[in-house]
Coordinates of all heavy atoms in Angstrom, one line a residue:
Chain A
N6 N 86.0 101.3 92.7 CA 87.1 101.9 93.5 C 88.1 100.8 93.9 O 87.7 99.8 94.6 CB 86.6 102.6 94.7 CG 85.8 103.8 94.4 OD1 86.0 104.4 93.3 ND2 84.9 104.1 95.2
A7 N 89.4 101.0 93.5 CA 90.4 99.9 93.8 C 90.8 99.9 95.3 O 90.9 98.9 96.0 CB 91.6 100.0 93.0
G8 N 90.9 101.1 95.9 CA 91.3 101.2 97.3 C 92.8 100.9 97.5 O 93.6 101.5 97.0
V9 N 93.1 99.8 98.3 CA 94.4 99.4 98.6 C 94.7 98.1 97.8 O 93.9 97.1 98.1 CB 94.6 99.2 100.1 CG1 96.1 98.7 100.3 CG2 94.4 100.5 100.8
T10 N 95.7 98.1 97.0 CA 96.0 96.9 96.1 C 97.3 96.3 96.5 O 98.3 97.0 96.6 CB 96.0 97.2 94.7 OG1 94.8 97.8 94.3 CG2 96.2 96.0 93.8
Q11 N 97.3 95.0 96.8 CA 98.5 94.3 97.2 C 98.9 93.3 96.2 O 98.0 92.6 95.7 CB 98.4 93.6 98.5 CG 98.2 94.5 99.7 CD 98.1 93.8 101.0 OE1 97.2 93.9 101.8 NE2 99.2 93.0 101.3
Q27 N 104.4 94.4 97.2 CA 104.0 95.7 96.7 C 102.7 96.1 97.3 O 101.8 95.3 97.5 CB 104.0 95.7 95.2 CG 105.2 95.2 94.5 CD 106.3 96.2 94.6 OE1 106.2 97.4 95.0 NE2 107.5 95.8 94.1
C28 N 102.5 97.4 97.6 CA 101.2 97.9 98.0 C 101.1 99.3 97.4 O 102.0 100.1 97.3 CB 101.2 98.1 99.5 SG 99.7 98.9 100.1
A29 N 99.8 99.5 96.8 CA 99.5 100.8 96.2 C 98.1 101.2 96.6 O 97.2 100.4 96.7 CB 99.6 100.7 94.7
Q30 N 97.9 102.5 96.9 CA 96.6 103.0 97.2 C 96.2 104.2 96.3 O 97.1 105.0 96.0 CB 96.5 103.4 98.7 CG 97.6 104.4 99.2 CD 97.2 105.9 99.1 OE1 96.1 106.2 98.8 NE2 98.2 106.7 99.4
D31 N 94.9 104.3 96.0 CA 94.5 105.3 95.0 C 93.6 106.3 95.7 O 92.8 107.0 95.0 CB 93.8 104.7 93.9 CG 92.5 103.9 94.2 OD1 92.2 103.8 95.4 OD2 92.0 103.3 93.3
M32 N 93.7 106.5 97.0 CA 92.8 107.4 97.8 C 93.5 108.7 98.2 O 93.0 109.5 99.0 CB 92.2 106.6 99.0 CG 91.4 105.4 98.6 SD 91.0 104.4 100.0 CE 92.5 103.5 100.2
N33 N 94.7 108.9 97.7 CA 95.5 110.0 98.0 C 95.8 110.1 99.6 O 95.8 111.3 100.1 CB 94.8 111.3 97.5 CG 95.8 112.5 97.4 OD1 97.0 112.3 97.0 ND2 95.4 113.6 97.7
H34 N 95.9 109.0 100.2 CA 96.2 109.0 101.6 C 97.6 109.3 102.0 O 98.5 109.0 101.3 CB 95.8 107.6 102.3 CG 94.4 107.4 102.3 ND1 93.8 106.2 102.7 CD2 93.3 108.2 102.2 CE1 92.5 106.3 102.7 NE2 92.1 107.5 102.4
N35 N 97.8 110.0 103.1 CA 99.1 110.4 103.6 C 99.9 109.2 104.2 O 101.1 109.0 104.0 CB 99.1 111.5 104.6 CG 98.6 112.8 103.9 OD1 99.2 113.2 102.9 ND2 97.6 113.4 104.5
S36 N 99.2 108.4 105.0 CA 99.9 107.4 105.8 C 99.7 106.0 105.3 O 98.6 105.7 104.8 CB 99.4 107.4 107.3 OG 99.6 108.7 107.9
M37 N 100.7 105.2 105.4 CA 100.6 103.7 104.9 C 101.3 102.8 105.9 O 102.2 103.3 106.6 CB 101.2 103.6 103.5 CG 100.5 104.5 102.4 SD 101.1 104.1 100.8 CE 100.3 102.5 100.4
R73 N 109.0 104.0 100.9 CA 107.8 104.7 100.5 C 108.2 105.4 99.2 O 108.9 106.4 99.1 CB 107.5 105.8 101.6 CG 106.2 106.6 101.2 CD 105.0 105.8 101.4 NE 103.7 106.5 101.1 CZ 103.0 107.2 101.9 NH1 103.4 107.3 103.1 NH2 101.9 107.8 101.5
N75 N 106.5 106.7 96.7 CA 105.9 107.9 96.4 C 104.6 108.0 97.3 O 104.4 107.1 98.1 CB 105.5 108.1 94.9 CG 104.9 106.8 94.4 OD1 103.9 106.3 94.9 ND2 105.4 106.2 93.3
K76 N 103.7 108.9 97.1 CA 102.6 108.9 97.9 C 101.7 107.7 97.8 O 101.0 107.3 98.7 CB 101.7 110.2 97.7 CG 100.7 110.5 98.8 CD 100.1 111.9 98.6 CE 99.2 112.2 99.8 NZ 98.6 113.5 99.7
R77 N 101.6 107.1 96.6 CA 100.7 106.0 96.4 C 101.3 104.7 96.8 O 100.5 103.8 97.2 CB 100.5 105.9 94.9 CG 99.6 106.9 94.3 CD 99.3 106.5 92.8 NE 98.6 105.4 92.7 CZ 99.0 104.2 92.1 NH1 100.3 104.1 91.7 NH2 98.2 103.2 92.0
E78 N 102.6 104.4 96.8 CA 103.2 103.1 96.9 C 104.1 103.0 98.1 O 105.0 103.8 98.4 CB 104.0 102.8 95.7 CG 103.1 102.8 94.4 CD 104.0 102.7 93.1 OE1 104.7 103.7 92.8 OE2 104.0 101.6 92.6
F79 N 104.0 101.8 98.8 CA 104.7 101.5 100.0 C 105.1 100.0 99.9 O 104.2 99.2 100.0 CB 103.9 101.8 101.2 CG 104.6 101.7 102.5 CD1 105.9 102.2 102.7 CD2 103.9 101.3 103.6 CE1 106.6 102.1 103.9 CE2 104.6 101.2 104.9 CZ 105.9 101.7 105.0
C96 N 98.6 95.4 103.9 CA 99.0 96.8 103.8 C 97.7 97.6 104.1 O 96.6 97.2 103.8 CB 99.4 97.1 102.4 SG 99.9 98.7 102.0
A97 N 97.9 98.8 104.7 CA 96.8 99.7 104.9 C 97.1 101.1 104.7 O 98.4 101.5 104.6 CB 96.3 99.5 106.4
S98 N 96.2 102.0 104.5 CA 96.4 103.4 104.4 C 95.5 104.2 105.1 O 94.3 103.8 105.4 CB 96.4 103.8 102.8 OG 95.1 103.7 102.3
R99 N 95.8 105.4 105.4 CA 94.8 106.3 106.1 C 95.2 107.8 105.7 O 96.3 108.1 105.4 CB 95.0 106.2 107.6 CG 94.1 107.1 108.4 CD 94.1 106.7 109.8 NE 95.3 106.8 110.5 CZ 95.5 106.3 111.7 NH1 94.5 105.8 112.4 NH2 96.7 106.4 112.3
D100 N 94.1 108.6 105.7 CA 94.3 110.0 105.2 C 94.9 110.8 106.4 O 96.1 111.2 106.3 CB 92.9 110.6 104.9 CG 93.0 112.0 104.3 OD1 94.2 112.4 103.9 OD2 92.0 112.7 104.2
H107 N 92.3 101.8 105.8 CA 91.7 101.0 104.7 C 92.7 99.9 104.4 O 93.9 100.2 104.2 CB 91.4 101.8 103.5 CG 90.3 102.9 103.7 ND1 89.1 102.7 103.3 CD2 90.4 104.0 104.3 CE1 88.4 103.8 103.7 NE2 89.2 104.7 104.3
F108 N 92.3 98.7 104.4 CA 93.2 97.5 104.3 C 93.0 96.9 102.9 O 92.0 96.9 102.3 CB 92.9 96.5 105.4 CG 93.4 96.9 106.7 CD1 92.6 97.7 107.5 CD2 94.6 96.4 107.2 CE1 93.0 98.1 108.7 CE2 95.0 96.8 108.5 CZ 94.2 97.6 109.3
G109 N 94.2 96.3 102.5 CA 94.2 95.5 101.3 C 93.8 94.1 101.7 O 93.5 93.8 102.8

Side-chain angles (χ1 to χ4, degrees):
Chain A
N6 293 333
V9 178
T10 302
Q11 293 184 234
Q27 306 287 352
C28 175
Q30 51 93 7
D31 63 0
M32 296 171 283
N33 201 36
H34 284 173
N35 289 308
S36 301
M37 297 186 72
R73 183 74 183 267
N75 48 54
K76 192 170 186 180
R77 288 187 64 247
E78 299 172 287
F79 189 38
C96 177
S98 70
R99 177 165 62 188
D100 186 13
H107 297 258
F108 287 81

